[in-house]
Amino acid sequence: MATDTTLVQGAYDANRYTKSRVDAAKQGVGQNLNTAIGKAAGAKRAEAEVKKKEVDTAKVKAEADEKARLAKLDSDFSEASQKFLQSGSLDEANYDATHDIVNAWRDDYINGDEKARGKIMNRMNNLSGDVAAYKGSLENVASMQEDGDFSNSVSPERKEWYSKLLNGDITMSPKQSEDGEGGQSYEMGVVDENGEWISQSALTNLLEGDEVDSVGIKYINDLGITQLNAGKEAKEGSEFDEGMVIGGVNNMIKNGKINSLVNDETITIGKGSFKDHLRQESNLVNMTYESLGISGEDAYVYDKNKDGIIQKGELEKGDIDGIIKEFTTSPDHRDALEDELKRYFVQFTKKQYNKGYEETYGVSSSGQAETKLP
């Protein structure tokens, strides 16, 4: 059977048109999809641009804020350091040295946390306190020189050194040390007459120790007057009551200025100082060698009768001077020195009591004529 060419051609054409429509449909879908993807990508790019601008803006603001914060810290530090450096009268060399020390803390202050900044400010406050105290010390030196309030214990070399402080020949200088936490700490101070650096607090203590103990001197002389009157008003047969004075005398010595009590004329109706009494009047007689810090073989060199007590003539003048200097200046003998001072002042008040009693009854309370004051 012959093929119907018309039917075949029709089928072919039908199939061709259908494929074309499918392709066209697919092409339309692709174009639409591409358009949608393009729009979505554009939207994402636009969103990313917005976010980038926001991030950039925030970054710029954060950088500006940090810059302002650091500038504020730098300004705060400069203000504090200048306030400190200008708080005292430092010469140019010491000003520069101190300025360099303080300025070295700048980076730590700016870049540190609140605790670190607090520690640095505390350092500057401490140094500022030292400078202010130093100015007060200079005023005290000037006043003590003008009023003659330096104790006789102060050596000529020490007085010359004090004059150099006043004249500006010696000025404040800083010293660096460990602060106990791995950091650095600084103190202000001066170089003393021996070339050693001492802190401001040590200078304050030095000045206090070099001043005449006017409070102690007034106290012991007032106590003497009180005991003189007590002796005058005592009942016949009464005796001096040591317990009434020994506590006050002991407190006076403990709280007083030991150098002044030893070297200055504390008893205004007597002659000389306690040190003079040891040297000129008693020559250490009846004191024990041990109480003067002399023991063992050293004591046997002097102690002729080996009784441990200093007898008249046992010591040469040079020996006496050396022993007295050691006894009155060495910290090793401080307790023994205070005991001897206590006996000296109590004996003074006792003699005052007996003097008053003798004025009333013609004899001392012990039944013997009064002896001369030491």
Side-chain angles (χ1 to χ4, degrees):
M1 180 176 174
T3 303
D4 188 340
T5 57
T6 302
L7 289 175
V8 171
Q9 183 64 39
Y12 175 78
D13 291 340
N15 182 62
R16 183 186 63 186
Y17 295 146
T18 299
K19 185 174 184 299
S20 297
R21 284 194 295 273
V22 170
D23 289 344
K26 287 182 177 179
Q27 184 176 7
V29 170
Q31 289 174 347
N32 290 338
L33 183 59
N34 288 338
T35 300
I37 292 173
K39 289 181 178 180
K44 286 185 176 295
R45 284 195 297 272
E47 183 180 357
E49 286 293 329
V50 171
K51 287 184 177 181
K52 184 175 183 301
K53 288 181 179 179
E54 291 176 350
V55 169
D56 289 344
T57 300
K59 183 178 179 180
V60 169
K61 185 178 184 303
E63 289 176 350
D65 289 345
E66 178 64 8
K67 186 176 180 180
R69 185 184 74 86
L70 294 177
K72 176 68 165 54
L73 290 173
D74 185 72
S75 175
D76 290 346
F77 183 86
S78 294
E79 181 180 352
S81 62
Q82 285 302 309
K83 182 178 179 180
F84 157 64
L85 289 168
Q86 294 171 8
S87 65
S89 51
L90 300 172
D91 70 345
E92 184 174 349
N94 280 317
Y95 179 95
D96 290 342
T98 309
H99 177 274
D100 292 343
I101 285 174
V102 173
N103 203 50
W105 300 336
R106 184 181 297 274
D107 289 342
D108 292 337
Y109 181 88
I110 293 173
N111 299 317
D113 56 18
E114 184 176 351
K115 181 180 179 181
R117 289 195 290 273
K119 289 176 66 176
I120 290 171
M121 293 304 295
N122 187 56
R123 288 180 197 169
M124 276 197 284
N125 288 336
N126 289 339
L127 292 183
S128 181
D130 285 344
V131 173
Y134 180 69
K135 293 173 68 177
S137 294
L138 292 183
E139 291 173 0
N140 288 341
V141 170
S143 175
M144 288 166 66
Q145 281 193 344
E146 183 177 349
D147 298 337
D149 285 338
F150 277 113
S151 168
N152 290 330
S153 63
V154 180
S155 67
E157 292 79 14
R158 177 72 60 78
K159 288 185 177 180
E160 181 182 4
W161 175 70
Y162 279 131
S163 294
K164 288 182 179 180
L165 292 181
L166 286 180
N167 296 335
D169 296 332
I170 298 176
T171 54
M172 292 200 85
S173 59
K175 183 180 181 182
Q176 175 181 322
S177 59
E178 297 296 326
D179 65 4
E181 298 182 10
Q184 299 299 319
S185 179
Y186 297 86
E187 287 183 281
M188 299 298 290
V190 292
V191 176
D192 67 13
E193 74 267 33
N194 299 314
E196 300 291 332
W197 186 92
I198 60 173
S199 66
Q200 171 53 41
S201 60
L203 173 61
T204 299
N205 293 335
L206 197 66
L207 265 175
E208 290 180 355
D210 285 345
E211 188 177 14
V212 170
D213 189 355
S214 56
V215 174
I217 292 173
K218 183 178 186 304
Y219 174 83
I220 194 61
N221 284 283
D222 287 348
L223 185 59
I225 294 172
T226 300
Q227 289 304 306
L228 177 69
N229 292 329
K232 289 178 180 180
E233 299 167 1
K235 294 181 179 179
E236 189 171 3
S238 299
E239 293 186 357
F240 172 73
D241 186 355
E242 184 176 298
M244 293 291 291
V245 301
I246 196 168
V249 170
N250 191 54
N251 286 335
M252 179 200 72
I253 294 171
K254 292 291 185 183
N255 300 319
K257 299 171 182 177
I258 195 77
N259 290 335
S260 177
L261 295 178
V262 168
N263 293 276
D264 296 325
E265 187 173 303
T266 52
I267 299 173
T268 56
I269 61 173
K271 293 181 179 179
S273 64
F274 168 76
K275 190 173 181 180
D276 293 330
H277 163 69
L278 292 179
R279 181 188 296 113
Q280 298 171 4
E281 298 292 335
S282 73
N283 285 329
L284 308 182
V285 171
N286 294 327
M287 293 181 66
T288 65
Y289 285 96
E290 186 177 2
S291 69
L292 294 170
I294 306 172
S295 59
E297 294 182 1
D298 292 335
Y300 280 113
V301 172
Y302 305 108
D303 192 4
K304 295 177 182 179
N305 61 0
K306 313 306 178 190
D307 62 354
I309 300 174
I310 300 173
Q311 304 294 337
K312 187 175 182 179
E314 280 189 344
L315 297 175
E316 300 292 336
K317 184 179 184 304
D319 295 329
I320 293 173
D321 289 343
I323 291 171
I324 289 176
K325 181 178 180 181
E326 173 70 14
F327 178 64
T328 57
T329 59
S330 173
D332 295 337
H333 308 312
R334 179 63 179 259
D335 290 342
L337 175 61
E338 290 183 359
D339 286 342
E340 288 302 322
L341 278 168
K342 181 164 58 179
R343 277 191 281 270
Y344 175 71
F345 290 127
V346 169
Q347 182 66 15
F348 160 68
T349 59
K350 180 178 181 179
K351 289 184 175 182
Q352 287 294 90
Y353 177 92
N354 288 342
K355 182 180 179 181
Y357 187 93
E358 186 177 6
E359 288 181 8
T360 301
Y361 299 104
V363 294
S364 69
S365 64
S366 61
Q368 298 177 353
E370 185 56 40
T371 58
K372 186 179 179 181
L373 282 173

